[in-house]
């Protein structure tokens, strides 16, 4: 007989450190921290706090008075888990766990827990496991008292015996090597799939954006797919791709990618680089924003920062989508529509109602027509006018003369191709 698991009673704390130059709005930051906690199963968030600090204390993060105050609060509320929405050093984590007698999880650890719970594909599972091990390796610095013991060495090397912390770190390193080998095999398979797709002339359009911006809802609306789309951070983790026929345009492959978040753990950026290579291979990158969110500007800046880290430069065709108009009042929504109309490459839409999608798809089609692609064409000697036009347009990459005419490799846009066909 199965019994329902009792949820873990959790409290979310956002340290608002005055000396931090990259401070976010503490109220919005706390709300995001609570949303992260609620994204985990079996977690019951029973309370949350913003703790303002002039600076972070090296050993305990918080001052002694605040630690005592929170200790009493956590005891009275029977808190079992404290989620600190920010970075916590291994020493700080250990000291706070001893002081409060509860389990501590920082922002990085929490995001890793969510990713671990959501990973479904083999590649996703391997990437999360690698990221978690890389994170745990840094936590071995006096994180637990049992790691301070020494055990006897084998005598092959002089000096003191190997400490438990060194043994644990070595075991993690060995596991990381094994995981990298497994992931390399998966990545090779993905590369083969990508190479196979490259032989089929389908342009790739990648949806990127902050987590919970509505990418999966938009993806489902455009493709008719049923990708998980909930009002939840990181509802979608593994990338999904579908073929879509654009109205008055080519058939494309639409890719839905993992959502980004501020302070995304560096371990995860590195681990998910292979997954996000679909963005690097995309012909058009569509940045989906939740325009109804109070922190939409900061979220957009975080996404741009991660795209830059991944190597997505300004030369790639880009569009920006202001999603969730349906969550704004009439006056705010109209203001967003008018501003989007004035700025090139921006579309105000609602993935729920479908508003604005027709213009968005037309703009994607227009962007694709400006992207150059390679073709092989054959001309007869009588087609001198067409051959001259190709050279005037500077699209000829190579030319071979045959018995009946010319074989040319051209690099041109869809618009140039259509103009050539009309000659």
């Amino acid at each position: 007989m199965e019994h329902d698991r009792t949820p873990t009673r959790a409290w979310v704390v956002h340290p608002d450190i005055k000396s931090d130059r990259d401070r976010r709005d503490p109220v919005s930051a706390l709300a995001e921290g609570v949303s992260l906690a609620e994204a985990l199963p079996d977690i019951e968030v029973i309370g949350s706090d913003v703790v303002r600090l002039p600076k972070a204390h090296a050993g305990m993060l918080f001052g002694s008075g605040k630690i005592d105050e929170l200790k009493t609060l956590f005891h009275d509320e029977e808190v079992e888990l404290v989620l600190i929405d920010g970075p916590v050093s291994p020493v700080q984590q250990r000291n706070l766990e001893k002081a409060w007698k509860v389990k501590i999880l920082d922002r990085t650890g929490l995001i890793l827990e969510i990713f671990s719970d959501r990973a479904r594909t083999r590649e996703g599972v391997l990437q999360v496991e690698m990221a978690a091990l890389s994170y745990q390796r840094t936590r071995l610095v006096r994180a637990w008292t049992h790691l301070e013991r020494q055990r006897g060495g084998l005598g092959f090397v002089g000096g003191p015996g190997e400490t438990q912390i060194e043994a644990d770190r070595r075991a993690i390193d060995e596991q990381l090597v094994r995981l990298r080998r497994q992931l390399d095999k998966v990545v090779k398979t993905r590369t083969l799939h990508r190479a196979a797709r490259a032989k089929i002339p389908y342009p790739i359009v990648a949806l990127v954006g902050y987590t919970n911006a509505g990418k999966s809802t938009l993806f489902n609306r455009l493709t008719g797919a049923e990708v998980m789309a909930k009002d939840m951070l990181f509802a979608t983790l593994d990338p999904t791709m579908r073929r879509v026929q654009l109205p008055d345009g080519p058939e494309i492959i639409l890719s839905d990618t993992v959502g980004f978040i501020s302070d995304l753990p560096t371990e995860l950026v590195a681990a998910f680089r292979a997954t996000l290579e679909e963005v690097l291979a995309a012909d058009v990158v569509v940045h989906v924003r939740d325009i109804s969110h109070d922190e939409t500007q900061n979220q957009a800046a975080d996404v741009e920062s991660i795209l830059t880290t991944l190597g997505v430069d300004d030369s790639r065709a880009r569009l920006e989508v202001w999603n969730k108009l349906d969550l704004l009042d009439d006056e705010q929504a109209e203001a967003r529509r008018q501003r989007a109309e004035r700025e090139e490459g921006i579309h105000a839409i609602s993935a729920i109602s479908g508003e604005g999608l027709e213009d968005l798809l037309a703009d994607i089609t227009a962007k694709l027509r400006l992207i150059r692609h390679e073709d092989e064409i054959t001309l007869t000697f009588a087609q001198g006018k067409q051959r001259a036009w190709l050279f005037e347009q500077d699209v000829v990459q190579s030319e071979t003369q045959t018995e009946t005419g010319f074989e040319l490799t051209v690099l041109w846009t869809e618009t140039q191709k259509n103009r050539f066909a009309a000659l």
Side-chain angles (χ1 to χ4, degrees):
M1 181 177 176
E2 292 188 5
H3 297 277
D4 292 333
R5 290 179 59 183
T6 304
T8 301
R9 294 172 65 83
W11 197 282
V12 180
V13 175
H14 175 74
D16 182 31
I17 303 171
K18 193 174 182 181
S19 58
D20 189 349
R21 288 180 297 179
D22 299 323
R23 288 170 70 198
R24 296 180 291 155
D25 173 61
V27 176
S28 297
L30 179 65
E32 183 175 278
V34 171
S35 295
L36 281 170
E38 291 174 339
L40 271 180
D42 303 322
I43 293 288
E44 180 187 2
V45 179
I46 60 171
S48 59
D49 271 316
V50 171
V51 177
R52 290 176 169 81
L53 300 168
K55 65 176 183 177
H57 293 255
M60 300 286 280
L61 184 59
F62 306 104
S64 57
K66 179 56 70 173
I67 286 175
D68 291 339
E69 178 189 329
L70 291 173
K71 179 180 180 180
T72 302
L73 173 66
F74 297 154
H75 178 269
D76 293 344
E77 297 290 341
E78 299 179 348
V79 173
E80 304 166 88
L81 172 66
V82 175
L83 302 165
I84 298 179
D85 184 38
V88 179
S89 73
V91 172
Q92 289 169 342
Q93 178 178 340
R94 179 192 176 194
N95 289 339
L96 289 173
E97 286 181 343
K98 287 174 68 176
W100 290 340
K101 302 294 190 292
V102 297
K103 175 65 181 170
I104 302 289
L105 203 59
D106 70 356
R107 184 180 176 87
T108 297
L110 177 57
I111 293 173
L112 286 170
E113 287 285 344
I114 295 169
F115 273 49
S116 178
D117 181 62
R118 301 282 166 76
R120 292 292 177 268
T121 65
R122 177 64 176 156
E123 182 177 15
V125 170
L126 287 172
Q127 287 168 329
V128 172
E129 196 171 343
M130 280 183 62
L133 284 172
S134 299
Y135 171 74
Q136 288 170 15
R137 194 182 189 281
T138 67
R139 303 275 115 179
L140 293 181
V141 185
R142 296 188 298 280
W144 298 281
T145 52
H146 83 274
L147 297 180
E148 294 172 353
R149 298 195 305 267
Q150 284 193 339
R151 63 183 181 84
L154 295 173
F156 296 120
V157 181
E162 181 181 44
T163 61
Q164 183 65 43
I165 187 172
E166 290 165 347
D168 284 19
R169 185 175 288 127
R170 185 165 49 79
I172 285 178
D173 288 341
E174 290 171 356
Q175 179 68 356
L176 280 170
V177 170
R178 284 195 292 271
L179 287 173
R180 284 194 187 99
R181 286 174 182 158
Q182 293 177 52
L183 187 59
D184 284 346
K185 293 180 182 177
V186 178
V187 170
K188 284 178 183 176
T189 303
R190 179 183 284 276
T191 304
L192 289 173
H193 290 167
R194 189 179 293 121
R197 284 199 303 271
K199 294 178 181 177
I200 306 171
Y202 292 143
I204 296 175
V205 177
L207 303 179
V208 301
Y210 207 81
T211 182
N212 211 28
K215 297 185 307 302
S216 296
T217 303
L218 177 59
F219 182 86
N220 290 344
R221 182 95 189 188
L222 296 177
T223 64
E226 295 183 356
V227 173
M228 181 181 179
K230 288 187 177 180
D231 184 16
M232 177 193 295
L233 300 187
F234 298 118
T236 307
L237 181 55
D238 295 306
T240 310
M241 309 187 84
R242 293 286 189 278
R243 281 164 57 178
V244 177
Q245 176 66 53
L246 292 177
D248 303 320
E251 194 169 14
I252 65 168
I253 293 177
L254 188 65
S255 173
D256 182 22
T257 60
V258 61
F260 299 154
I261 196 168
S262 65
D263 303 320
L264 186 69
T266 54
E267 296 92 348
L268 277 174
V269 174
F272 276 79
R273 192 177 188 88
T275 303
L276 294 168
E277 278 177 0
E278 298 298 350
V279 179
L280 294 174
D283 297 289
V284 179
V285 175
V286 178
H287 178 183
V288 182
R289 289 175 54 182
D290 176 0
I291 204 63
S292 70
H293 200 284
D294 292 339
E295 290 285 295
T296 184
Q297 292 287 1
N298 291 333
Q299 290 180 354
D302 289 327
V303 171
E304 292 298 332
S305 174
I306 294 172
L307 288 175
T308 301
T309 302
L310 291 170
V312 180
D313 54 34
D314 294 335
S315 63
R316 198 174 308 276
R318 300 275 286 275
L319 289 172
E320 187 166 290
V321 169
W322 293 355
N323 191 26
K324 303 194 180 182
L325 283 181
D326 51 288
L327 297 184
L328 297 172
D329 61 41
D330 292 343
E331 186 177 340
Q332 289 175 320
E334 184 58 32
R336 296 293 190 280
R337 291 188 193 98
Q338 290 181 8
R339 185 179 167 192
E341 286 175 4
R342 290 194 301 268
E343 299 191 30
E344 186 179 351
I346 296 180
H347 294 269
I349 72 157
S350 168
I352 293 292
S353 70
E355 178 187 349
L357 295 189
E358 188 175 328
D359 288 343
L360 171 61
L361 293 176
D363 205 358
I364 290 174
T365 300
K367 292 285 185 188
L368 290 173
R369 284 178 177 148
L370 296 174
I371 295 170
R372 304 212 301 173
H373 60 276
E374 194 173 276
D375 273 334
E376 304 287 338
I377 59 176
T378 302
L379 298 178
T380 64
F381 288 118
Q383 292 177 294
K385 176 185 174 183
Q386 288 88 336
R387 179 170 173 269
W389 184 88
L390 290 172
F391 278 97
E392 284 173 10
Q393 293 290 311
D394 195 26
V395 298
V396 178
Q397 301 296 295
S398 64
E399 179 186 55
T400 304
Q401 185 170 327
T402 65
E403 292 182 0
T404 56
F406 303 93
E407 290 182 353
L408 301 95
T409 301
V410 296
L411 188 66
W412 54 9
T413 65
E414 195 67 25
T415 301
Q416 288 173 319
K417 183 175 182 178
N418 292 337
R419 286 173 62 190
F420 174 79
L423 290 174

